[in-house]
Amino acid sequence: NNIENFKIIDEEIETYGNGLVQIWKIFGFDKIKAPEINYSSGNYVDEITVELQSDYPIYYTIDGTYPTTSSELYTAPIIITEDTNLRAVAYCKDAVIKYSNEIECEYQVFEAGTDGMFQIDNNGCIISYTGNIRNLLVPNIINGKQVTAFNPKIFNDEIVTKLILPDTVSELPQGVFAENNTIQYINTGGAKIIQKSSFLSNKYLYTIDMPNVIGIETEAFSKCRGIYNAGFLINAPKLDYIKSNGFYTCDFFILNAPNITTLYSKAFNNSGLCYASFPKLKQVLKNGINRNAPFYQCDSMMILDLPVLDYCECTTLANKCNSFQQINLPTFSGTISNNSSY
């Protein structure tokens, strides 16, 4: 009977959601529709004019707090000129559930650099940056030349905190952001390869968007830390492979890479990766004679979800990892770990 009761509870949670906040659904109360908005979360240049629409009064905040009737009443479009976390609800005093569902949008507002802020050579390589823009968008064309590359550490100036790179660059060169103590957000633009030590010992990373990156080379993210020693997020929709020690001794981070197919030995050596969910990962390759596990000494890892992995040249998959709660390897027939507890 207890098992059947748990099944019923699971069905209710799946239908209505988990927690007391969802109780209005269970009892069939109507809830007014959330406001509509014309700009979703994302990166924008200069400024945007945000408009909200609802059949009911709208209350909003721009400081990250939850909006109530004590918050600002929406009466006119909102001009966004800097990084803003906008939250809004509609309110009907006569409804049983008076507040609508909330909408929340996070805007990052960038300013494009101008020709006078950069020095660029005849090959399209940026040699220096002398501007004072904190949220910097690097243009594709500077002084009539298409940007193809940039020298290492030119943005280690303790001014730039957020950076969008040109669509015209093909890779991040070795050591380009090494030991950067300021940058929190980077969009890597057109870069397809992240070279060795590109983010060596970064301390304040928060989010990295890598829309075109297919490969992460050896030690590219070695010894990285998230902002305030917390985690950081990498979005890499086209990432295909990670070389050995690509994330060597990184603090806690989340890697969103749904299309990765190949890992090399010790790819996540001594890293703080907490879950590895790679739905298209097919193979794990050794690095020369190094046959150590790709997930080596990842003591924070709780989930190993590799549903199509079927080839491994390494001795094990996850040696010296002691925190697993779930392992899903339906097509793998090799050794998971030397750890005797498995």
Side-chain angles (χ1 to χ4, degrees):
N1 286 338
N2 286 338
I3 293 174
E4 292 303 316
N5 288 338
F6 278 124
K7 287 181 179 178
I8 293 172
I9 292 171
D10 284 343
E11 290 173 0
E12 292 293 305
I13 290 174
E14 183 175 352
T15 302
Y16 298 114
N18 193 358
L20 186 61
V21 72
Q22 304 296 341
I23 200 169
W24 63 276
K25 295 182 182 179
I26 297 175
F27 289 102
F29 296 140
D30 290 332
K31 197 169 188 179
I32 61 176
K33 186 179 178 181
E36 296 180 356
I37 193 165
N38 63 334
Y39 281 97
S40 59
S41 297
N43 298 333
Y44 298 93
V45 180
D46 294 333
E47 68 175 43
I48 56 174
T49 302
V50 174
E51 297 179 1
L52 298 166
Q53 290 186 341
S54 174
D55 294 332
Y56 303 95
I58 299 171
Y59 293 90
Y60 71 93
T61 63
I62 58 173
D63 61 1
T65 59
Y66 185 84
T68 67
T69 52
S70 299
S71 305
E72 193 76 19
L73 176 66
Y74 176 79
T75 58
I78 306 165
I79 309 298
I80 304 294
T81 60
E82 59 184 6
D83 292 354
T84 300
N85 184 12
L86 175 66
R87 304 176 69 175
V89 293
Y91 176 80
C92 177
K93 64 179 181 179
D94 297 323
V96 175
I97 306 297
K98 300 183 184 301
Y99 288 100
S100 72
N101 286 335
E102 179 196 18
I103 59 169
E104 182 174 10
C105 292
E106 185 174 349
Y107 303 117
Q108 295 189 135
V109 181
F110 289 80
E111 181 180 347
T114 59
D115 286 355
M117 298 177 181
F118 301 94
Q119 185 179 359
I120 187 169
D121 66 19
N122 290 330
N123 295 319
C125 178
I126 299 176
I127 299 172
S128 66
Y129 168 72
T130 57
N132 59 358
I133 299 173
R134 295 181 63 83
N135 288 16
L136 174 65
L137 183 148
V138 181
N140 293 342
I141 305 293
I142 294 175
N143 292 323
K145 300 181 182 69
Q146 180 173 289
V147 177
T148 59
F150 46 97
N151 282 352
K153 299 189 177 183
I154 63 171
F155 298 113
N156 288 21
D157 54 9
E158 298 188 358
I159 295 175
V160 177
T161 58
K162 298 185 179 182
L163 182 66
I164 298 179
L165 297 175
D167 296 330
T168 51
V169 300
S170 60
E171 68 176 27
L172 295 192
Q174 183 170 332
V176 64
F177 296 112
E179 300 175 338
N180 188 293
N181 295 324
T182 307
I183 290 182
Q184 301 173 18
Y185 171 86
I186 294 181
N187 184 306
T188 57
K192 292 180 171 57
I193 305 296
I194 309 296
Q195 292 290 359
K196 181 178 180 178
S197 302
S198 288
F199 292 94
L200 172 67
S201 296
N202 276 219
K203 295 181 179 179
Y204 290 95
L205 291 175
Y206 182 72
T207 302
I208 305 175
D209 286 330
M210 305 194 303
N212 294 294
V213 170
I214 61 172
I216 292 175
E217 296 294 313
T218 299
E219 299 179 7
F221 287 89
S222 180
K223 301 179 182 178
C224 278
R225 295 187 176 189
I227 188 169
Y228 309 126
N229 292 324
F232 62 95
L233 168 67
I234 297 178
N235 294 310
K238 296 182 181 180
L239 183 63
D240 181 64
Y241 69 85
I242 301 173
K243 291 288 186 70
S244 297
N245 291 311
F247 289 93
Y248 173 67
T249 316
C250 282
D251 279 359
F252 167 70
F253 68 99
I254 297 172
L255 176 61
N256 180 19
N259 290 304
I260 193 168
T261 66
T262 304
L263 292 180
Y264 287 78
S265 62
K266 298 182 80 171
F268 297 98
N269 182 12
N270 196 33
S271 80
L273 188 71
C274 64
Y275 67 89
S277 180
F278 303 132
K280 295 185 179 180
L281 182 68
K282 292 286 293 181
Q283 60 181 355
V284 173
L285 304 179
K286 64 182 180 179
N287 177 33
I289 63 172
N290 189 331
R291 299 171 66 91
N292 282 315
F295 306 101
Y296 185 77
Q297 292 184 324
C298 299
D299 207 38
S300 300
M301 185 176 292
M302 295 181 289
I303 295 175
L304 187 64
D305 180 28
L306 312 175
V308 299
L309 177 68
D310 59 11
Y311 180 74
C312 180
E313 294 181 345
C314 296
T315 307
T316 60
L317 274 183
N319 200 22
K320 298 185 179 180
C321 301
N322 301 307
S323 301
F324 279 127
Q325 297 181 15
Q326 178 180 335
I327 296 175
N328 180 39
L329 298 162
T331 62
F332 179 68
S333 59
T335 303
I336 297 174
S337 176
N338 289 333
N339 190 321
S340 60
S341 67
Y342 299 137

